[in-house]
Structures are given as structure tokens and as C-alpha cells.
């Protein structure tokens, strides 16, 4: 008889990587427990509600590659979730609008159209732009083909199938810019969406930039119902296939004996046993705090101590009592000037007033008329900018993950108010005046983000540097039975990157080529086991887990 405190696998954290891995392990027959310290599952895909009228997405502002051949739809379909997660197309002739002084470029679907539009906008850089995008497109194609391959390759075969990646993949984007003799203005347009991975051109490698750019050029979409639908659907699959989610359950320690994991200890002292633990917690916290450096080799510990995190965001969540002037269903990437590398240098020097760039996501355009987004005639949008790394800028010493109480810290409150005003001023430069119509304004800083996700530095993008440019850890660790998923692994950040990492982890554990299988149509889950959805189905309630689904305190709309 199986004891109730023993499981086949325990997953620590319920971000996209952890939920995907857990759901596939459950579909494969393992008894899986997911532990989440927050009130709801989802990590960076979760939403929050205000004034019973507005719902704000924290991290899902748009998704790429969600067409018939898309990777993310295949991952959900492999669990029997076809039709439960659907996607609205954004404007495929211009899903991202890049705005510089005197220049506006609408980014269309496809490398060919993208390249043509950039060459027309910057004719003096046309040859360099063509060279740059040809290399990036080739790297992206090689990477995707390798990701979806159904067999292991020798080093010789790998080099033969990925020659452009071998030449350019680990070079920085700036090095490729230099090779292509591009002007500062062309570099700014080409790297305008770099906040999607939280690094400037001098830190990001070509393989990363190419993969993220290709992801969106395969088509830009938004999940119907908002980002929480992604997490809720995975929770439904997890529970339908015999797994369990427990929210408000913070793990204090991952237990290791004799070089292998034995389970976890919760912050309240409860011990749960399992021969397999998958950590979807922050990578550096997993190594240094949850497991302990003494269980890892010196080289890995040194890399982790010296690691640098990707840059974090500050976000304004804004609701207006009027509609914004007519505009396409596109995100806005607004730059104060035409030198993105200088903007990142100023950011490193903590000089971000005036704000050098903004990302603006218009939720009420992506899902017009949706009752949960905002009332009719109102607007819901987010204004975001990258922030300096670390705590000093915010007047904080250790951060909320270490237990620091910061919200009444006067230095923090002053910095937050100062940046809010600077971002509002920049947003009105970009969009026109709107302050008189604000009915809800809320600022989330990187410190806020760390409080909810326990991510080092409050970044959603994980590690920027781990022992060298472009290096990131795999999902398999040196401790038997311990695996890691999430934004810091080599599979990339963002919703799809984390989901692919979760698939890769489950594939290692199950010894199957899962991503290749499901992309070709294999199904591990049985749709008939999934629960029906009532007309009042609430993804936020589902994401609390079966044990807390009807608990008090859930914010609702209407």
C-alpha cells in the first residue's frame, strides 16, 4: 500500500516548465505531486484581478508559433488538450510595431517579409540587414530541426547538420552586427524586441536571438481567455491523470542522501518522500538554498555563485475609462533614440530617466469584448521597461525571497514612485495623453516579481551568464533523481521555451523523444478523462488545485 506522503515524483514550483513536466509524467503513469508556494499555479503565466472589472496578465503578452505546425499547441495536444487552449491571431502583417524617432516599422510574419520591410525602411543598411537575417534564419531553422529530431546525433553529424549554428550560434549579437557593418539605427530595429529575453546585444548570443525572433515570425498569437488558461489546462491534465497540485505549500529543502534525492521538506516541517524531484524553482536558489552547495561539484558551485541574471522588468498595469485611439492589434516597441546599445549601457549605469525604451501590450485589443479583460468602452494595457539588476537601485538589501519586508521601505517607495512617473511620461510620449482617463494604475517592480515567484533579482528570464557567454545548465543534474526546469535551462525562457524544457525533462526521465513524438501527432493523454468545463469555468480557481479550488479569497470579475 502506497503511503500518502510518498510519491513517484515531486515537482517544486508550478511555472510552465514544472507543469508541463508534471502533466507528462502523470500521463505516463507516475504518481506526481506539484508543490507551489503561491496561491495559484502558473508562475509567469498567471493573472490577477482588480476592482472586479479588470484582469491583468503578468507574463503572457503574446505567443509565437501557435499555428498548425506550432510547438506549443503540440505540447498541449500531446496531453489531450486540443480545443481547451485556443489562440487568437494578432495582426500578421504587423504584430510588433517598432517606433524610433522618424521611423516606424511594422513587423510581419515570416523571415522574408520581415527582411524586405527592414531593408525598405533602412536602405543604406540593406546589404547588412540581409546578411544578418539570413544568418539568423539559418540558425533558427537548424535549431528547430534539431529540437524536433527523433534520434540522437553524433558530434560529427551534429556539426554537419548545423554548420551556421556552429559558426555563429555562440557569438554575441553585437559581434554579428559588427560583421554585417550595421549602423546604430539598424541595430536598434533588429534588436528592438531584445527585452523579450532580457539582454542587450552585447550579452545575448545569436542562437538565442535567432530562436526568439523566429518564434514570433512563425506567427504571433494570444491565448483566448488569457495566460491563466495555459496553467489551468495543464492542472486539469495533471489531476485527470492522477497527479496532484498543492498551492500555498512552500518547499524549504530538497532532501539528498548519499548522492541521490529522497524527497522534500516543506517550510512547515512536513517531509514528503520521492525518488525523483524536479525543481522548477529559481536555479541559483535550488543549488544554493534548496539543495545546498555541499551536494554539487566545485565547478558547478563556482559557476552558480558567479552567475548573472537577465534583466528584470518594471510594469505599469493601466485601465482607462475610455478606448484608446484606433490602432492595429500589435504590441508597441518604443525607443527614445536610435542607439539600442547605448540604451543598454545607460541601463547598466542605472540611468533610466528619461526612460530609454518601452514595451506596450494592449490586452483589450488582443481579446476585444472579453468580459474578464475590461468593461465595454474601457481599455486595459501594460507598459513595461527593463530595470537595472540587483537590489541597490531599489534601496533593498536581501530581497523578499530571503524574507525582507520591503513594502514600507521609504527608499523603495520613493524609487517606485519616481520610476512610475518616468514611465507614465514616456508612455504618453509614445501613445498620446491618457492620464485623465486612468481608473486603475498599479506598478510592479522586480522586487514585486521576486515576492511572487522567488526568482533571483525578479527577472522572468533566468540566467544571462553561467560560466561563459551563452552557457546554461541542462535539466539533468549531477545528483541522482534531481532534475531542473524553468527559465534558466538551455531550452530557453518565455512560455514556449520553458514548456520545451519541461518536455525535455520528462523525456529524459521517461527515456522517450517526447517532443518529436507529440509534434508528429502522438497522444499520451486521454481527453475523455479531462473534466467538463461549466459556463462559469474559472481558470484562476482551477489553478489553485483541487484541494483549494473553493477556498475563500478568490478575486472574481463582475
Amino acid at each position: 500500500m502506497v503511503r500518502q506522503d510518498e510519491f513517484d515524483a515531486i515537482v517544486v514550483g508550478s511555472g510552465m516548465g514544472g507543469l508541463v513536466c508534471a502533466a507528462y509524467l502523470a500521463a505516463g503513469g507516475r504518481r506526481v505531486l506539484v508543490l507551489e508556494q503561491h496561491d495559484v499555479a502558473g508562475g509567469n503565466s498567471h493573472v490577477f484581478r482588480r476592482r472586479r472589472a479588470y484582469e491583468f496578465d503578468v507574463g503572457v503578452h503574446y505567443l509565437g508559433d501557435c499555428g498548425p505546425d506550432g510547438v506549443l499547441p503540440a505540447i498541449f495536444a500531446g496531453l489531450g488538450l486540443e480545443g481547451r487552449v485556443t489562440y487568437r491571431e494578432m495582426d500578421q502583417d504587423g504584430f510588433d510595431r517598432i517606433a524610433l524617432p522618424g521611423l516606424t516599422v511594422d513587423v510581419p510574419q515570416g523571415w522574408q517579409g520581415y527582411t524586405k520591410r527592414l531593408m525598405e525602411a533602412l536602405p543604406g543598411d540593406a546589404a547588412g540587414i540581409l546578411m544578418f537575417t539570413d544568418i539568423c534564419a539559418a540558425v533558427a531553422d537548424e535549431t528547430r530541426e534539431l529540437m524536433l529530431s527523433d534520434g540522437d546525433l553524433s558530434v560529427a553529424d551534429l556539426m554537419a547538420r548545423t554548420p551556421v549554428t556552429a559558426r555563429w550560434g555562440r557569438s554575441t549579437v553585437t559581434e554579428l552586427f559588427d560583421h554585417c557593418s550595421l549602423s546604430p539605427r539598424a541595430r536598434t530595429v533588429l534588436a528592438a524586441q531584445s527585452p523579450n529575453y532580457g539582454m542587450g546585444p552585447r550579452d545575448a548570443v545569436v542562437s538565442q536571438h535567432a530562436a526568439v525572433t523566429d518564434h514570433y515570425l512563425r506567427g504571433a498569437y494570444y491565448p483566448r481567455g488569457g495566460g491563466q488558461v495555459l496553467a489551468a489546462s495543464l492542472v486539469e491534465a495533471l489531476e485527470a491523470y492522477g497527479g496532484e497540485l498543492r498551492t500555498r505549500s512552500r518547499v524549504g529543502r530538497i532532501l539528498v542522501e548519499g548522492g541521490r534525492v529522497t524527497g522534500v521538506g516543506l517550510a512547515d516541517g512536513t517531509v514528503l518522500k520521492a525518488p525523483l524531484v524536479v525543481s522548477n524553482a529559481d536555479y541559483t536558489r535550488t543549488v544554493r538554498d534548496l539543495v545546498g552547495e555541499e551536494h554539487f561539484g566545485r565547478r558547478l558551485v563556482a559557476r552558480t555563485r558567479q552567475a548573472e541574471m537577465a534583466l528584470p522588468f518594471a510594469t505599469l498595469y493601466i485601465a482607462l475609462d475610455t478606448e484608446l485611439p484606433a490602432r492595429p492589434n500589435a504590441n508597441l516597441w518604443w525607443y527614445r533614440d536610435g542607439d539600442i546599445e547605448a540604451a543598454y549601457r545607460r541601463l547598466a549605469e542605472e540611468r533610466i530617466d528619461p526612460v530609454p525604451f518601452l514595451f506596450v501590450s494592449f490586452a483589450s485589443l488582443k481579446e476585444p469584448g472579453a468580459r474578464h479583460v475590461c468593461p465595454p468602452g474601457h481599455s486595459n494595457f501594460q507598459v513595461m521597461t527593463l530595470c537595472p539588476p540587483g537590489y541597490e537601485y531599489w534601496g533593498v538589501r536581501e530581497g523578499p525571497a530571503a524574507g525582507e519586508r520591503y513594502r514600507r521601505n521609504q527608499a523603495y517607495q520613493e524609487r517606485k514612485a519616481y520610476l512610475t512617473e518616468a514611465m507614465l511620461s514616456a508612455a504618453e510620449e509614445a501613445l498620446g495623453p491618457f492620464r485623465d482617463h486612468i481608473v486603475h494604475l498599479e506598478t510592479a517592480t522586480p522586487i514585486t516579481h521576486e515576492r511572487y515567484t522567488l526568482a533571483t533579482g525578479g527577472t522572468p528570464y533566468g540566467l544571462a551568464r553561467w560560466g561563459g557567454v551563452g552557457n546554461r545548465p541542462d535539466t539533468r543534474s549531477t545528483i541522482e533523481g534531481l532534475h531542473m526546469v524553468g527559465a534558466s535551462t538551455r531550452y530557453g525562457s518565455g512560455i514556449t521555451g520553458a514548456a520545451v524544457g519541461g518536455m525535455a525533462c520528462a523525456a529524459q526521465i521517461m527515456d522517450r523523444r517526447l517532443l518529436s513524438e507529440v509534434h508528429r501527432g502522438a497522444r499520451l493523454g486521454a481527453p475523455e478523462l479531462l473534466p467538463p468545463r461549466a459556463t462559469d469555468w474559472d481558470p484562476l480557481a482551477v489553478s489553485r488545485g483541487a484541494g483549494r479550488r473553493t477556498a475563500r479569497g478568490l478575486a472574481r470579475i463582475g
Side-chain angles (χ1 to χ4, degrees), residues 272-286:
L272 303 170
K273 296 292 187 178
L276 177 68
V277 173
V278 178
S279 179
N280 190 194
D282 177 89
Y283 181 85
T284 57
R285 294 191 195 286
T286 297

Side-chain angles (χ1 to χ4, degrees), residues 193 390 472 487 541:
Q193 298 123 309
R472 281 179 160 222

Side-chain angles (χ1 to χ4, degrees), residues 240-548:
Y241 304 142
E244 181 184 356
L245 165 68
R246 297 182 192 174
T247 51
R248 289 193 176 179
S249 299
R250 182 166 177 173
V251 172
R253 193 77 173 171
I254 294 174
L255 306 175
V256 179
E257 295 178 12
R260 63 165 299 118
V261 295
T262 60
V264 303
L266 302 188
D268 66 3
T270 302
V271 173
L272 303 170
K273 296 292 187 178
L276 177 68
V277 173
V278 178
S279 179
N280 190 194
D282 177 89
Y283 181 85
T284 57
R285 294 191 195 286
T286 297
V287 171
R288 304 190 67 182
D289 301 328
L290 294 182
V291 177
E293 293 179 348
E294 67 274 15
H295 295 292
F296 294 97
R298 286 182 295 177
R299 185 179 178 188
L300 184 145
V301 170
R303 280 185 168 190
T304 305
R305 286 182 178 180
Q306 296 164 12
E308 297 176 15
M309 307 304 293
L311 295 170
F313 271 113
T315 305
L316 306 183
Y317 296 95
I318 301 174
L320 308 181
D321 63 4
T322 187
E323 294 182 356
L324 288 166
R327 60 179 303 113
N329 183 8
N331 304 305
L332 175 64
W333 298 92
W334 176 87
Y335 283 80
R336 185 172 297 281
D337 60 38
D339 190 344
I340 194 170
E341 290 174 311
Y344 274 102
R345 286 195 298 272
R346 290 195 299 273
L347 186 61
E349 296 165 0
E350 299 187 354
R351 293 189 292 126
I352 60 172
D353 186 9
V355 173
F357 50 76
L358 294 174
F359 171 68
V360 188
S361 171
F362 303 93
S364 46
L365 292 182
K366 290 170 183 170
E367 203 163 8
R371 187 180 67 87
H372 65 281
V373 174
C374 62
H378 288 219
S379 297
N380 173 329
F381 62 103
Q382 285 77 63
V383 176
M384 307 173 69
T385 196
L386 292 176
C387 298
Y391 299 129
E392 289 185 10
Y393 178 80
W394 299 100
V396 174
R397 293 189 310 277
E398 297 179 298
E404 181 175 359
R405 298 179 180 272
Y406 68 92
R407 284 187 281 178
R408 295 185 181 179
N409 178 322
Q410 183 175 354
Y412 171 78
Q413 291 295 343
E414 289 176 355
R415 177 65 74 180
K416 180 178 177 180
Y418 182 82
L419 184 58
T420 298
E421 177 59 31
M423 291 175 68
L424 278 173
S425 296
E428 290 196 305
E429 287 184 59
L431 301 174
F434 59 78
R435 290 192 201 218
D436 290 347
H437 292 281
I438 293 176
V439 289
H440 184 79
L441 172 65
E442 187 168 348
T443 305
T445 71
I447 311 303
T448 315
H449 191 88
E450 181 178 309
R451 181 166 121 244
Y452 285 106
T453 67
L454 307 183
T456 297
T459 177
Y461 298 122
L463 294 166
R465 188 182 296 263
W466 185 71
V469 175
N471 282 350
R472 281 179 160 222
D474 192 16
T475 59
R476 194 193 308 270
S477 82
T478 55
I479 297 172
E480 187 176 352
L482 175 65
H483 295 255
M484 313 211 198
V485 295
S488 288
T489 70
R490 66 183 181 89
Y491 298 94
S493 57
I495 295 298
T496 302
V500 169
M503 286 287 283
C505 183
Q508 288 176 341
I509 293 166
M510 299 167 70
D511 195 23
R512 295 178 63 170
R513 302 288 297 187
L514 281 179
L515 188 54
S516 173
E517 288 182 35
V518 302
H519 195 258
R520 292 200 309 267
R523 300 291 180 263
L524 274 71
E528 63 271 16
L529 297 178
L530 295 168
R533 290 180 176 177
T535 54
D536 61 348
W537 182 79
D538 185 351
L540 205 58
V542 172
S543 300
R544 296 172 113 191
R548 297 191 59 254

Side-chain angles (χ1 to χ4, degrees), residues 76-231:
F76 279 86
L79 292 166
L81 294 169
E82 303 102 315
R84 291 194 170 228
V85 181
T86 57
Y87 310 91
R88 288 180 56 89
E89 280 193 341
M90 295 177 64
D91 189 338
Q92 299 305 317
D93 191 50
F95 57 84
D96 273 341
R97 173 164 286 181
I98 300 168
L100 282 63
L103 178 65
T104 298
V105 179
D106 291 327
V107 177
Q109 181 178 358
W111 281 99
Q112 185 176 354
Y114 171 66
T115 301
K116 181 175 183 290
R117 196 160 289 179
L118 265 58
M119 292 170 66
E120 291 172 348
L122 296 160
D125 283 287
I129 289 170
L130 179 60
M131 184 185 302
F132 182 89
T133 57
D134 277 353
I135 289 171
C136 287
V139 170
D141 283 346
E142 290 175 357
T143 303
R144 183 182 174 86
E145 182 181 351
L146 192 64
M147 178 178 69
L148 297 174
S149 65
D150 57 4
D152 294 321
L153 299 176
S154 67
V155 173
D157 288 340
L158 180 63
M159 296 295 286
R161 290 178 61 171
T162 59
V164 186
T165 304
R167 168 65 180 88
W168 285 107
R170 293 177 67 82
S171 299
T172 67
V173 175
T174 289
E175 288 170 338
L176 183 54
F177 281 160
D178 292 344
H179 175 77
C180 299
S181 301
L182 290 163
S183 70
R185 215 160 157 78
R187 295 174 188 225
T188 302
V189 173
L190 284 162
Q193 298 123 309
S194 58
N196 270 330
Y197 46 78
M199 281 177 266
R202 293 187 180 277
D203 296 311
V205 293
V206 171
S207 59
Q208 181 180 37
H209 175 83
V212 173
T213 304
D214 181 73
H215 175 69
Y216 292 109
L217 290 180
R218 289 179 178 274
Y221 301 80
Y222 184 75
R224 284 186 172 88
Q228 197 69 51
V229 170
L230 303 175

